[in-house]
Amino acid sequence: MRLHHITWKNIKMHPAKVALLVAGLAVGVAVIVGLYTVSKAMHMDLQDKIDEYGANMVITPKSESLPLTYAGVTVGGLQYGSQLLTEKDLEKIRTIKNSANVKLVSPKLLGIVEVNGSKMMLAGVRFKDELELKKWWEIKQGSRPANDREILLGGKASRKLGAGAGDSLNISGEKFRVAGVLGQVGTEEDDLIFIGIKQAQTILERPGEVSFVEVSAWCKDCPIDDIVEQIKWKLPGAKVAAVRQAAETRDAVIGQFSLFSLILSVTMGVVAALIVFTNTLSAVRERRREIGVFRAVGYRQSHIALIVLLESATVGLIAGVSGYLAGFLAAGYIAPVATGMDVGVVFDPIVPAVAIGGVVLISLLASLYPATVAARLDPSEALNSMI
Amino acid sequence: MSLVIANRVCKYYGNDEATRVHALWHVDFTISPGEYIAVMGPSGSGKSTLLAILGAMNPPSEGSLLVDGIDVYALSQEKRADFRREYLGFVFQQPQLIPYLTSLENVMLPLVVSDVKDKKGLAAQMLEKVGLGDKAKRLPSELSGGEQSRVAIARAIVNDPPMLLADEPVGSLDSKTGSEILNLFQALHADGQTIIMVTHNPDSIRDTGRLIRLKDGVIVSDAATEEVLFAASDVVGTGEPKHSLAHD
């Protein structure tokens, strides 16, 4: 038998009392773990959404513009000094310091072509990257282009041209097959003809040229501003802009929720400490006789303090484990309802370690004074209480 | 050589000399190894205070206590705890067993913080010695009062202490059970155990070899028990000890 056996036996002797204390602490741990897990799930969901939004950076050629107005009448504008983007620039993007964060680099070449007697805008793209980037695209008819002689039509372009999946189109003298038609998304994309970028460069007679580049970066804690700066440094002739306003707004809401969670967690921590403190102090007072016996048979003050602290730590440990499990499981059910978001909780080993370690630490700190009181109990007082 | 030397031990409460309450006043005595001593006196005579001082639990206001040559109250609190563990065994009026530990675990209690190797074996041996070898796994609530007292005695001697201090060990027991416990004390004494027993029950002192009588914190007599009993019985010529012994 060792000191911890005495601790454990005492805990087992008072199951209802210990269960009440454990329940009090476990509820606190469960709330903290639940809030943190939901908050984290929301963050992760936001990052997924950011990825789904598509590009979070757009690279365009840098140009100076001159508005032409006189007496309040605008007669048009003039852009000059524009430097061309080329496919060689795309390689440079992959050489930035944070290149590991760069998920997709999707170049586009835009131009006007004549198709079946109508002027249409042509967008040369890399279909593999583009379809990966534009998760909201839905091919309503047909399928993805299987080769460089196949194209996709925006919803409006399909109607305008009277062409659907399987039809052939003659674009500037070259024949292409419509592999699929995109569902309308309410943007300019509905009016476009999407074609392989190499074919677009040939048709538009702009070999190697790129109109703009959309870049998607992994944004779970990625430094988007740093990436923008790094690309600007690599491409001095380009303008690089981050597209993230919507995400930032939502991030701010989640930030508020996280702050609320933090404040509540600190409050719960203080309440937990008070619960342990009062409970342990009262237990020490109730156990004066018992402590007197320990002291009489030769237990040192440090032994008594250790017995009290071990009990608190054990209660904290049980509360930590049960509270974490309850909080984590509850978060899985509550998170989608409470946030109105389709969020899924993910196990993170650091959370149980911090939650359990934290509640054990709080229990120990809150028990320091009661343990000192117990240890300093005058053995003769304890003896008198026995007589 | 004396096991215990109490030298002008005083215990008083209160700092003001005029209102000071004296629990013990210049108590001197020595105890040799193997003695079986009874300390008697009426309530408030200082018996329990003396026991607490002998038990290294309550420092005297004046005087000193040497046990086996060790100035007990010159030791630090922690060293005094070690001293209690190594030199003393306590038997209280109530058995004071820890309710959530079995008989065996209660007996093992002093060994938990000592360096003894086979703690369980030694505790089991002590339980056998007090006749409770078959009740090692019982909780105190599953034992009779006499059995609980036996467990308390086993706990007190498990460390093989040079001195056993007992405070009214049969005070809460019926006469038959009390007699059994006194027999146990006598058996321990026969094995060479030094015992100091505080009691106000004259029946309890039958086996003791020496009787110290206290009154108002002062030793009024310190003599062989036989002599005292003989003197008391001689007054009325019955040869039986008189109960007035406890209340004089």
Side-chain angles (χ1 to χ4, degrees):
Chain A
M1 190 168 76
R2 294 191 177 170
L3 282 180
H4 65 266
H5 289 113
I6 295 173
T7 296
W8 184 240
K9 288 262 182 177
N10 181 43
I11 286 174
K12 284 203 319 192
M13 182 74 173
H14 305 99
K17 195 174 173 185
V18 173
L20 205 63
L21 181 58
V22 165
L25 290 176
V27 167
V29 176
V31 170
I32 294 170
V33 168
L35 284 174
Y36 177 80
T37 308
V38 169
S39 163
K40 188 164 185 194
M42 286 166 74
H43 264 296
M44 291 180 72
D45 178 68
L46 174 69
Q47 299 305 336
D48 291 343
K49 288 284 191 299
I50 288 171
D51 289 345
E52 281 178 24
Y53 291 161
N56 36 26
M57 278 167 283
V58 176
I59 304 168
T60 53
K62 198 183 269 181
S63 64
E64 302 293 332
S65 63
L66 178 65
L68 298 175
T69 59
Y70 182 70
V73 178
T74 301
V75 293
L78 181 67
Q79 280 202 330
Y80 63 96
S82 176
Q83 297 184 39
L84 294 177
L85 282 174
T86 65
E87 285 183 306
K88 283 183 183 170
D89 293 327
L90 305 182
E91 300 307 316
K92 292 178 185 171
I93 296 169
R94 292 287 185 189
T95 64
I96 64 168
K97 189 179 163 193
N98 280 89
S99 58
N101 292 114
V102 176
K103 180 185 172 193
L104 282 172
V105 176
S106 183
K108 276 98 181 158
L109 179 63
L110 301 177
I112 305 295
V113 289
E114 194 170 308
V115 184
N116 295 349
S118 299
K119 295 280 186 193
M120 301 290 293
M121 185 176 274
L122 189 72
V125 296
R126 290 178 187 163
F127 279 114
K128 183 174 170 292
D129 294 337
E130 200 66 14
L131 288 164
E132 174 79 9
L133 192 66
K134 306 284 170 66
K135 291 212 163 61
W136 60 89
W137 276 11
E138 191 182 356
I139 299 174
K140 284 278 186 189
Q141 287 179 35
S143 59
R144 300 161 72 115
N147 56 56
D148 56 7
R149 304 308 299 174
E150 292 190 334
I151 61 172
L152 284 177
L153 294 181
K156 284 186 187 172
S158 166
R159 270 191 295 158
K160 192 172 178 182
L161 295 170
D167 294 340
S168 290
L169 283 181
N170 193 318
I171 303 171
S172 297
E174 289 202 43
K175 197 175 169 185
F176 292 91
R177 180 178 173 275
V178 178
V181 176
L182 298 172
Q184 289 194 31
V185 290
T187 65
E188 299 96 322
E189 289 171 345
D190 294 340
D191 297 304
L192 296 183
I193 297 171
F194 294 95
I195 188 170
I197 193 163
K198 293 287 179 200
Q199 282 64 42
Q201 287 166 345
T202 306
I203 291 166
L204 297 171
E205 296 177 347
R206 291 154 66 185
E209 196 180 322
V210 170
S211 299
F212 71 100
V213 185
E214 288 182 311
V215 177
S216 172
W218 296 108
C219 263
K220 290 183 180 69
D221 304 321
C222 75
I224 200 80
D225 289 331
D226 290 352
I227 295 175
V228 166
E229 288 306 314
Q230 288 165 18
I231 295 176
K232 275 183 185 173
W233 193 77
K234 287 281 180 183
L235 305 175
K239 195 167 81 181
V240 186
V243 184
R244 54 181 184 173
Q245 198 174 10
E248 276 182 345
T249 307
R250 196 164 168 189
D251 197 32
V253 173
I254 294 173
Q256 292 284 324
F257 182 76
S258 299
L259 183 64
F260 165 74
S261 305
L262 183 68
I263 292 168
L264 194 64
S265 300
V266 171
T267 310
M268 296 292 255
V270 172
V271 171
L274 284 173
I275 290 173
V276 173
F277 175 79
T278 51
N279 209 289
T280 312
L281 195 58
S282 127
V284 164
R285 284 177 179 152
E286 280 172 18
R287 293 168 68 187
R288 285 171 70 91
R289 284 183 169 206
E290 189 183 315
I291 293 167
V293 172
F294 286 132
R295 296 285 282 137
V297 300
Y299 282 49
R300 288 179 160 210
Q301 291 183 327
S302 53
H303 294 136
I304 304 296
L306 193 59
I307 289 172
V308 174
L309 291 175
L310 270 174
E311 281 179 17
S312 295
T314 307
V315 167
L317 186 67
I318 298 169
V321 172
S322 51
Y324 169 75
L325 290 174
F328 183 74
L329 294 174
Y333 289 104
I334 292 169
V337 181
T339 63
M341 294 157 67
D342 184 22
V343 294
V345 296
V346 178
F347 174 75
D348 178 355
I350 292 172
V351 180
V354 171
I356 296 165
V359 75
V360 169
L361 187 67
I362 286 173
S363 300
L364 285 174
L365 289 176
S367 301
L368 276 181
Y369 176 71
T372 309
V373 168
R376 286 186 180 163
L377 198 64
D378 186 345
S380 68
E381 268 185 54
L383 179 70
N384 289 338
S385 74
M386 296 177 208
I387 296 168
Chain B
M1 185 192 166
S2 297
L3 176 64
V4 178
I5 302 172
N7 183 26
R8 297 185 72 75
V9 170
C10 291
K11 184 71 188 181
Y12 45 75
Y13 300 96
N15 295 326
D16 184 1
E17 263 186 68
T19 57
R20 195 175 271 173
V21 176
H22 290 269
L24 287 176
W25 184 247
H26 290 166
V27 171
D28 289 290
F29 61 86
T30 59
I31 298 172
S32 301
E35 277 197 279
Y36 185 4
I37 301 172
V39 178
M40 289 188 78
S43 295
S45 60
K47 302 188 299 286
S48 296
T49 303
L50 180 60
L51 195 74
I53 290 172
L54 282 172
M57 291 192 198
N58 192 0
S61 307
E62 289 175 25
S64 63
L65 178 77
L66 298 180
V67 177
D68 201 20
I70 299 166
D71 187 348
V72 175
Y73 289 99
L75 299 172
S76 67
Q77 277 269 10
E78 297 295 66
K79 289 284 180 194
R80 238 184 288 155
D82 295 343
F83 170 83
R84 281 194 292 275
R85 189 170 64 244
E86 288 168 28
Y87 280 84
L88 305 174
F90 285 93
V91 179
F92 306 107
Q93 183 173 357
Q94 301 294 331
Q96 300 297 347
L97 301 179
I98 306 299
Y100 50 84
L101 298 180
T102 63
S103 304
L104 186 73
E105 289 164 341
N106 264 289
V107 177
M108 280 170 75
L109 213 54
L111 304 177
V112 170
V113 289
S114 73
D115 298 328
V116 175
K117 291 214 169 131
D118 184 17
K119 294 171 182 167
K120 200 171 178 179
L122 193 55
Q125 203 180 318
M126 288 303 125
L127 271 181
E128 287 287 347
K129 194 168 181 174
V130 298
L132 292 174
D134 57 337
K135 294 187 175 171
K137 289 185 179 173
R138 299 266 182 97
L139 288 172
S141 58
E142 297 164 338
L143 298 172
S144 69
E147 288 170 336
Q148 288 185 26
S149 294
R150 284 169 183 272
V151 174
I153 293 168
R155 179 180 67 191
I157 59 172
V158 73
N159 259 355
D160 192 20
M163 190 158 62
L164 182 62
L165 303 176
D167 184 19
E168 303 279 9
V170 298
S172 61
L173 301 173
D174 59 65
S175 57
K176 183 172 174 286
T177 315
S179 183
E180 286 170 10
I181 295 300
L182 290 174
N183 289 342
L184 193 54
F185 273 94
Q186 173 56 19
L188 291 172
H189 173 238
D191 286 345
Q193 178 70 58
T194 307
I195 303 171
I196 296 110
M197 177 172 64
V198 164
T199 181
H200 66 265
N201 181 359
D203 294 338
S204 301
I205 65 172
R206 66 183 192 202
D207 300 320
T208 59
R210 180 176 160 193
L211 175 64
I212 296 175
R213 290 159 71 196
L214 283 172
K215 190 175 180 186
D216 298 330
V218 178
I219 294 180
V220 292
S221 76
D222 181 354
T225 307
E226 200 174 331
E227 276 179 35
V228 178
L229 292 178
F230 181 77
S233 63
D234 204 36
V235 174
V236 289
T238 62
E240 291 293 320
K242 295 290 108 182
H243 286 272
S244 61
L245 207 56
H247 307 294
D248 56 353

